[in-house]
Amino acid sequence: MPVGTLGTVKGLFPDQLRAVGTQKLLANTYHLALRPGAEVVEELGGLHRFMDWDGPILTDSGGFQVFSLAGLRDIDDERVVFKSHIDGSILELTPARAIEIQQQLGADCIMCLDECPPADAPIEQIAEAVRRTTLWAQLCRDTQARDDQALFGIVQGGIDQSQREKSADKLVPLDFPGYAIGGLSVGESPTEMYRTLDHTTPHLPSEKPRYLMGVGRPEDLVESVLRGIDLFDCVMPTRNGRNATAFTSTGRVKMRNRKHMRDDAPLDPACECPACTRYCRGYLRHMFIAGEMLGPILLSLHNIAFYHRTMSDLRVAILEGRADSFRSECLAAWESE
Ligand code: GUN
Ligand code: ZN
């Protein structure tokens, strides 16, 4: 899922996303509740109509902002109170309120309110976050009454095996239609993240979607799919694209580099996106050096196309029973730059 936090995947039209293979988008409860407000979105026809995307949308609950806005919030068992990063106003999220906002937004998949602690948090804080996240999952489940929105539970537990198992084992009896794994990619190493997935996905039902939140690099997606993950969101393709870094079949390319100035080759000959079929590297570099907005637009679109193609190729490799060799080929090819 490309990330459309504020109801837009920055710089891209929905039909452009559709054309490069996007199936589902992510948006965010905290950000949309602050601006323009969930009531406003509801009044203007709901998030699908508002942003003109008729495919599936998943809204995150605000639980990640417990981590990312650590200096601007207070948390207890009742609620998280945020001080708006925009104007300092107060936004209170209770488990029930997080669900109500997501109902007003009208997403297809909605998330329980959770507590995402940083990777270096002491084990007591990790255990406390698991306890609170479990409590809130039950309250969210009790609030959610609509059958046209799938509510996912979120597993926490840091990189601690027994906390992860405990978190998963308490959520599974609540019988959510899908499960997310949160609290990763928050400062731990890739090895620690993979080990945690090894301990966690086996505790979640394999016939339901398993969603790894906020991850990650292309190699992280491949490694995680092979550990049972079905669904991802990450700002990486779009944020890196805006910052002139492209993901290609031969590794990362820094588009501002002088070596691209006279290069008439496509960014990635294996890619069928507009950036690669209509323009050469020299033009893409020129867009960034000149500060033209088409640069970030084209590279965001290219990176999203690259992520989708990687996942699509991986699906084929899995069906053909060659997932392990596919992984080795990817890691070897992406290492080069
Ligand atoms: N996005 C990335 N990590 C997390 C998490 O732990 N919780 C939530 N709600 N969203 C996330
Ligand atoms: Zn491309």
Side-chain angles (χ1 to χ4, degrees):
M1 296 176 286
V3 174
T5 302
L6 296 166
T8 168
V9 177
K10 296 185 191 306
L12 301 176
F13 281 108
D15 44 303
Q16 294 175 305
L17 293 165
R18 180 76 75 195
V20 298
T22 298
Q23 298 173 357
K24 182 170 183 174
L25 293 180
L26 184 94
N28 186 278
T29 298
Y30 164 85
H31 288 279
L32 288 169
L34 282 183
R35 192 170 57 186
E39 290 77 14
V40 175
V41 175
E42 184 177 38
E43 208 176 298
L44 297 178
L47 194 50
H48 293 85
R49 171 79 290 280
F50 191 48
M51 67 185 292
D52 192 28
W53 169 260
D54 60 4
I57 300 174
L58 183 151
T59 42
D60 196 1
S61 57
F64 185 67
Q65 280 65 43
V66 173
F67 163 75
S68 63
L69 301 175
L72 294 171
R73 54 76 177 168
D74 262 315
I75 189 167
D76 62 25
D77 280 357
E78 306 292 319
R79 61 181 64 79
V80 199
V81 180
F82 292 101
K83 200 170 145 101
S84 162
H85 69 289
I86 303 164
D87 61 6
S89 64
I90 296 300
L91 174 71
E92 180 180 275
L93 287 184
T94 62
R97 183 71 191 127
I99 298 301
E100 283 163 18
I101 292 171
Q102 295 182 86
Q103 289 174 340
Q104 288 174 308
L105 295 173
D108 307 276
C109 281
I110 64 177
M111 304 299 296
C112 289
L113 187 63
D114 62 324
E115 177 180 356
C116 174
D120 60 2
I123 187 67
E124 296 77 25
Q125 191 188 335
I126 299 285
E128 180 78 347
V130 167
R131 184 189 60 75
R132 189 170 284 147
T133 296
T134 307
L135 173 72
W136 287 359
Q138 180 69 61
L139 295 172
C140 287
R141 191 107 192 61
D142 296 343
T143 304
Q144 201 243 8
R146 278 167 63 168
D147 60 7
D148 62 342
Q149 292 186 305
L151 172 65
F152 282 31
I154 305 178
V155 178
Q156 290 290 344
I159 57 168
D160 184 84
Q161 178 170 357
S162 69
Q163 288 299 328
R164 283 287 169 184
E165 286 172 359
K166 183 173 175 185
S167 180
D169 293 345
K170 296 218 169 197
L171 288 179
V172 170
L174 299 180
D175 198 27
F176 288 105
Y179 291 89
I181 300 176
L184 289 175
S185 213
V186 289
E188 79 289 355
S189 70
T191 313
E192 288 170 320
M193 181 173 85
Y194 302 151
R195 189 161 38 79
T196 303
L197 291 179
D198 287 332
H199 298 148
T200 308
T201 47
H203 291 263
L204 299 172
S206 60
E207 74 280 6
K208 292 180 175 180
R210 295 182 289 201
Y211 161 31
L212 179 54
M213 310 187 82
V215 173
R217 304 169 302 162
E219 51 268 45
D220 295 327
L221 269 60
V222 173
E223 294 285 0
S224 302
V225 167
L226 298 187
R227 289 167 170 83
I229 300 296
D230 306 292
L231 187 59
F232 301 89
D233 79 274
C234 194
V235 295
M236 211 165 226
T238 42
R239 184 173 291 164
N240 280 273
R242 291 198 300 280
N243 290 322
T245 298
F247 295 97
T248 76
S249 38
T250 54
R252 294 192 195 196
V253 175
K254 297 240 189 286
M255 220 55 245
R256 290 175 163 275
N257 198 306
R258 208 181 157 79
K259 74 179 179 190
H260 304 303
M261 185 162 68
R262 295 166 193 280
D263 195 342
D264 66 356
L267 170 58
D268 186 348
C271 181
E272 291 178 352
C273 89
C276 296
T277 53
R278 297 165 68 168
Y279 303 101
C280 66
R281 287 185 175 212
Y283 181 80
L284 295 173
R285 174 182 183 271
H286 169 59
M287 289 295 101
F288 279 99
I289 298 300
E292 284 291 336
M293 55 206 261
L294 194 55
I297 290 172
L298 285 171
L299 239 52
S300 296
L301 193 56
H302 164 80
N303 283 345
I304 289 171
F306 176 81
Y307 269 64
H308 290 330
R309 181 161 47 89
T310 301
M311 289 294 98
S312 163
D313 291 349
L314 177 52
R315 284 193 286 272
V316 173
I318 291 169
L319 289 173
E320 295 178 352
R322 49 179 180 80
D324 276 322
S325 58
F326 179 84
R327 162 176 38 197
S328 314
E329 288 161 24
C330 286
L331 297 186
W334 298 338
E335 215 168 35
S336 55
E337 270 188 78

